[in-house]
Amino acid sequence: TLLISTCISQFKMGKRYCYEPEDASKAVKSRGTNLRVHYKHCREIAAAVCNMNLQKAIKYLRDVVDHKRIIPFVVHTGGVGRHAQAKNLPGGKKAPGSKGRWPEKATRVFIDLLKNAEANGENRSLEVEKLVIKHIQVNHAPHMRRRTYRAHGRINAYMSCPAHIEIICVDEADAVRKAPEANDSASAPTRKQLAIRRVAERGD
């Protein structure tokens, strides 16, 4: 019994998120584990909506379900066809290629997760229209094994590739916070600068 419980615990995704926002009071989270959707589809959808406004991302994914817009496939492109819609990414950005698909099942899962994050923002009295998808991560989940029967009495593996998804949205004001300016005077001088100073002090 102890061995079985140990094996099961290895496949459970921890409750801790891989990213923690600077101001947790202005952030909302949403996650799904062991989702029966293709990992490769989820990875491409996540790349398409990352850093987008939350409400704009939901509208974009609904257009994908209606085949009005497309999910550009950039990494997992094996056997993926080309389409004119794939040349333009959300926000007017140019895609590196022209391959794309409309993964409806995975897209609907993402819409549900984003709507859950939106509801969490409303419950916390945040301005939902200013929320931005700051962090979105897709991980492999344990394969679910089945079998398929082949010719000559053989049996092959027939496994699914589910995914873990986690999303963190933050207030837009925090998402575009300006980085602190580096203070050059506080930095240590280089060896070349020290040598120039010694030459200048000697008056050579």
Side-chain angles (χ1 to χ4, degrees):
T1 306
L2 179 62
L3 178 61
I4 295 175
S5 61
T6 305
C7 295
I8 293 175
S9 64
Q10 292 177 355
F11 292 108
K12 288 185 178 180
M13 188 176 183
K15 294 183 179 181
R16 190 172 65 87
Y17 282 73
C18 295
Y19 170 83
E20 289 298 331
E22 295 180 1
D23 190 356
S25 63
K26 295 185 178 180
V28 292
K29 302 178 181 179
S30 178
R31 76 186 308 166
T33 58
N34 295 299
L35 301 174
R36 286 296 301 270
V37 286
H38 292 310
Y39 161 79
K40 294 183 179 181
H41 291 174
C42 294
R43 187 267 162 209
E44 301 294 351
I45 297 172
V49 301
C50 188
N51 296 322
M52 285 183 65
N53 178 275
L54 177 59
Q55 294 181 339
K56 289 183 179 179
I58 294 174
K59 183 180 183 302
Y60 165 64
L61 294 179
R62 284 174 175 164
D63 290 341
V64 171
V65 173
D66 296 334
H67 288 220
K68 295 178 182 177
R69 302 179 74 177
I70 201 170
I71 298 295
F73 275 56
V74 180
V75 175
H76 305 293
T77 57
V80 179
R82 301 181 186 274
H83 198 278
Q85 289 183 1
K87 295 180 181 178
N88 294 316
L89 291 174
K93 297 183 293 184
K94 295 296 182 182
S98 59
K99 293 185 175 184
R101 278 180 176 171
W102 302 268
E104 294 185 11
K105 184 177 179 181
T107 302
R108 288 192 174 95
V109 169
F110 268 86
I111 292 174
D112 290 340
L113 290 174
L114 294 177
K115 289 177 67 177
N116 177 253
E118 185 180 31
N120 292 341
E122 293 174 352
N123 291 337
R124 302 184 66 178
S125 301
L126 298 177
E127 297 183 33
V128 178
E129 61 276 1
K130 291 186 178 181
L131 290 177
V132 175
I133 303 173
K134 179 67 175 179
H135 167 77
I136 183 166
Q137 180 169 314
V138 179
N139 292 332
H140 281 285
H143 291 277
M144 303 185 71
R145 301 185 65 90
R146 288 182 292 172
R147 58 173 59 180
T148 183
Y149 300 92
R150 310 303 297 270
H152 311 294
R154 292 175 298 146
I155 296 176
N156 283 3
Y158 204 71
M159 297 187 293
S160 63
C161 300
H164 302 309
I165 304 172
E166 66 178 36
I167 299 171
I168 297 179
C169 302
V170 300
D171 193 286
E172 192 172 19
D174 294 337
V176 293
R177 183 179 298 171
K178 185 177 179 181
E181 296 182 359
N183 189 1
D184 296 333
S185 61
S187 60
T190 62
R191 294 178 61 184
K192 184 175 181 180
Q193 291 172 342
L194 293 174
I196 293 174
R197 291 178 188 177
R198 287 196 298 268
V199 171
E201 291 173 357
R202 291 199 306 264
D204 295 344

